[in-house]
Amino acid sequence: MLNKRNFVLLAFLSSLFVYTSCIESNKTLGSQFIPDDFVLKLHNAEFEIPVTNSAIDSIQGYNTSYMTFGYLNDETFGYTSGGFATHITPFGDSTYLGINPELKSIYLYMNIDSTSVLREDQRGIPQNIYIYKLKTDLDTLEMFNKSITADDYYPTPISVGTPVFFGDDSIKVYLSEEFGRELLATSTAEYDSTALFLERIKGLYFTTDTPDINSGEGRMNYVTLGSSSTIYVSYRLTDPQRGYYRKDTMETFSLGYSHAINTTRTSSHTLANDDISEHMYIQSLDGIKPLIKASDLNDILNAWISQNGFTKESLVIARAALEFPFEFDYEHYTDYSDIFPQQIYPCVFSNDQSDYLEFLSPLPEIYTNSSIGKINRSLNNYTCEITNYIQDMLRDDNVTSDQDLYICPIISYETQSSSNYMYSYYYSYSSGSTYYGMDNQNYRHGVLNGSDHSTKRPKLLITYSLVK
């Protein structure tokens, strides 16, 4: 039993808890002393925006990750085909190939990283392979998917016969004896200097044929750039100083030094239309892209400001985002992970202050926003924040076509040091270990709701405040 002293102490402690629980939290306390001018009130506005389907003439083909070859035919987006050009370099240095090395055989061995198909029964189809020797340098101007033409490589393939690739995890292609002898003519100085070697051996162009195929047929193939592709040269070495007389020897060369120029092209430009329509078509590579003209956005914002009696000086944009809805087709639900772009974002054409290099890059704020166009399968839409872009537009009275937004599939990379990994003009900006670029690598496409859709249309969403 509790004695009298303990009972009094317990009653005192209980009263503390009772009184504490009765204290009210009033967050408006003192608000009457704050002038209304100091209170920022947030408002929302949304606008339907005109979006058209635009054809892209060419895109950057430069790639430091993958070499791509193959072809596909889609019922809506049409034919896609391409190959790649890249350097070859010796693996070793200070190598001496002896006196009059005798070629025995030469072949290229490539590991296939992955393949892309529209139908699973196309994984193992046969594709004819052709390899050509380049006769022009892959310099800093050879950056686009249309940069490599028939004038840039010798017309006779160095691949022997007509190699056939069936979509396996690797491919072995025998090369011509003439090319083998060229590699065996590599000097010790060329082994020690990649630049010197590339003056004589410019590189190779790798492609397939482009057969007439039915809708849904075809396959694109991806090869990791770097050490996954090797040219093996078997020869007899004669070097009396080392005591070698027609000694069987193997020398290796790497295919895919520094970068590749992927030449993949699409035919979806036939879907281009300057008028708004029910559907918006979006495709990676140089395929069709939704286009939002900066002048249209500027007109919409100016009309809104005028109708509400705002001034540009008083308007503060807290958040601006583009919303792109799409209709989910349950009969083709796997397409939304296999074929649909997993991320889209507005890109603009920019250049490196020259007349030669113009390329599509995402708006730099992709690195600082939270909604950067990732597919939302629960809401069936993409949301792309463009707050800085809209705020800058309100400050600029001279809106030009350079500010037009092309909605592109986006690819992201994780690297340790992106500034050393890519040329600075290829992707617009890098932050930490992640950088973003327009997807010029993977085959992706999708159909979004257009500005003439019966229900859900593309919108510009704005959260704003007014200051005096």
Side-chain angles (χ1 to χ4, degrees):
M1 295 181 63
L2 293 173
N3 58 35
K4 183 177 180 180
R5 183 178 179 182
N6 290 338
F7 177 81
V8 173
L9 178 60
L10 180 61
F12 173 73
L13 293 174
S14 299
S15 67
L16 291 179
F17 289 109
V18 170
Y19 285 121
T20 300
S21 63
C22 291
I23 296 176
E24 295 183 1
S25 176
N26 186 354
K27 296 182 179 180
T28 65
L29 183 65
S31 61
Q32 68 271 24
F33 301 111
I34 301 175
D36 289 342
D37 291 350
F38 284 78
V39 178
L40 284 179
K41 298 179 181 179
L42 294 178
H43 309 274
N44 295 315
E46 66 176 48
F47 312 90
E48 292 185 355
I49 53 176
V51 188
T52 58
N53 295 296
S54 177
I56 302 296
D57 180 60
S58 66
I59 50 96
Q60 53 266 32
Y62 183 99
N63 199 297
T64 61
S65 297
Y66 289 97
M67 303 178 288
T68 307
F69 66 96
Y71 49 82
L72 289 168
N73 190 22
D74 180 77
E75 180 179 5
T76 301
F77 290 84
Y79 207 92
T80 298
S81 64
F84 64 86
T86 191
H87 296 117
I88 66 171
T89 56
F91 268 119
D93 54 18
S94 301
T95 301
Y96 177 55
L97 299 178
I99 301 172
N100 297 324
E102 302 175 45
L103 177 69
K104 293 179 62 180
S105 65
I106 174 174
Y107 63 88
L108 167 65
Y109 187 86
M110 300 174 61
N111 288 311
I112 307 300
D113 177 82
S114 58
T115 59
S116 178
V117 294
L118 298 173
R119 294 195 335 230
E120 283 302 314
D121 63 359
Q122 297 294 294
R123 294 281 181 194
I125 63 168
Q127 291 177 315
N128 295 325
I129 303 300
Y130 304 93
I131 304 176
Y132 301 89
K133 192 178 72 168
L134 291 176
K135 60 182 179 181
T136 58
D137 295 320
L138 288 178
D139 58 26
T140 55
L141 299 183
E142 303 286 350
M143 287 291 172
F144 300 94
N145 66 320
K146 293 184 179 179
S147 293
I148 307 299
T149 68
D151 293 333
D152 295 306
Y153 54 86
Y154 294 97
T156 303
I158 63 170
S159 46
V160 175
T162 306
V164 180
F165 177 51
F166 290 91
D168 301 322
D169 57 4
S170 63
I171 181 173
K172 182 178 181 180
V173 180
Y174 281 93
L175 305 179
S176 69
E177 292 184 3
E178 180 182 1
F179 184 63
R181 285 190 287 270
E182 284 189 60
L183 293 183
L184 288 179
T186 303
S187 65
T188 303
E190 289 174 332
Y191 268 103
D192 290 337
S193 171
T194 298
L196 197 60
F197 178 84
L198 294 179
E199 287 183 9
R200 186 171 60 89
I201 307 293
K202 310 295 186 183
L204 300 180
Y205 179 59
F206 194 106
T207 189
T208 65
D209 53 5
T210 53
D212 290 331
I213 55 176
N214 296 320
S215 174
E217 296 181 344
R219 182 184 63 240
M220 297 299 293
N221 312 284
Y222 301 92
V223 181
T224 304
L225 196 79
S227 60
S228 64
S229 302
T230 304
I231 295 175
Y232 294 89
V233 183
S234 176
Y235 71 104
R236 292 185 178 92
L237 169 65
T238 297
D239 183 5
Q241 292 186 349
R242 291 182 288 174
Y244 296 147
Y245 295 93
R246 305 185 77 238
K247 174 183 173 59
D248 288 342
T249 310
M250 180 74 74
E251 195 62 38
T252 56
F253 296 80
S254 173
L255 175 74
Y257 172 77
S258 174
H259 69 278
I261 302 298
N262 290 324
T263 61
T264 310
R265 303 182 187 184
T266 66
S267 63
S268 59
H269 61 272
T270 56
L271 298 172
N273 192 336
D274 292 333
D275 299 323
I276 64 171
S277 59
E278 182 180 0
H279 302 297
M280 294 192 316
Y281 301 97
I282 183 169
Q283 190 179 30
S284 58
L285 308 169
D286 68 343
I288 194 81
K289 305 284 190 295
L291 169 64
I292 303 174
K293 292 185 178 180
S295 58
D296 289 338
L297 288 178
N298 191 52
D299 290 344
I300 290 172
L301 292 173
N302 285 336
W304 170 62
I305 291 171
S306 176
Q307 291 169 3
N308 288 276
F310 301 154
T311 64
K312 290 185 177 182
E313 292 73 21
S314 66
L315 189 62
V316 177
I317 304 298
R319 180 180 184 268
L322 295 170
E323 184 178 276
F324 302 104
F326 60 85
E327 301 299 321
F328 191 90
D329 184 355
Y330 291 93
E331 294 183 0
H332 300 91
Y333 68 93
T334 58
D335 288 353
Y336 296 90
S337 58
D338 298 339
I339 300 297
F340 248 65
Q342 299 305 288
Q343 182 180 4
I344 66 175
Y345 199 76
C347 294
V348 293
F349 272 108
S350 56
N351 59 63
D352 67 337
Q353 309 304 318
S354 74
D355 295 330
Y356 303 103
L357 299 178
E358 188 177 50
F359 47 91
L360 272 174
S361 296
L363 295 175
E365 58 186 290
I366 192 174
Y367 292 92
T368 56
N369 291 333
S370 57
S371 297
I372 52 176
K374 293 184 179 179
I375 189 171
N376 189 321
R377 295 181 183 86
S378 60
L379 298 177
N380 296 342
N381 68 17
Y382 298 86
T383 301
C384 310
E385 286 189 32
I386 57 168
T387 306
N388 293 344
Y389 174 86
I390 294 297
Q391 187 71 70
D392 290 343
M393 178 175 288
L394 291 175
R395 295 171 181 164
D396 187 2
D397 294 329
N398 298 315
V399 174
T400 68
S401 60
D402 290 339
Q403 296 166 271
D404 290 349
L405 300 179
Y406 294 83
I407 311 306
C408 302
I410 297 298
I411 191 169
S412 63
Y413 292 89
E414 301 290 333
T415 65
Q416 294 296 322
S417 178
S418 60
S419 60
N420 294 327
Y421 191 67
M422 297 292 297
Y423 286 125
S424 60
Y425 52 74
Y426 181 53
Y427 290 97
S428 60
Y429 182 78
S430 62
S431 175
S433 60
T434 304
Y435 59 89
Y436 298 91
M438 186 210 68
D439 193 348
N440 71 334
Q441 172 180 295
N442 304 299
Y443 182 84
R444 295 279 185 177
H445 69 233
V447 180
L448 311 180
N449 291 2
S451 299
D452 202 30
H453 194 270
S454 58
T455 54
K456 298 179 180 179
R457 306 180 184 93
K459 293 181 180 180
L460 171 64
L461 310 175
I462 289 181
T463 301
Y464 66 97
S465 293
L466 296 172
V467 296
K468 294 182 179 179

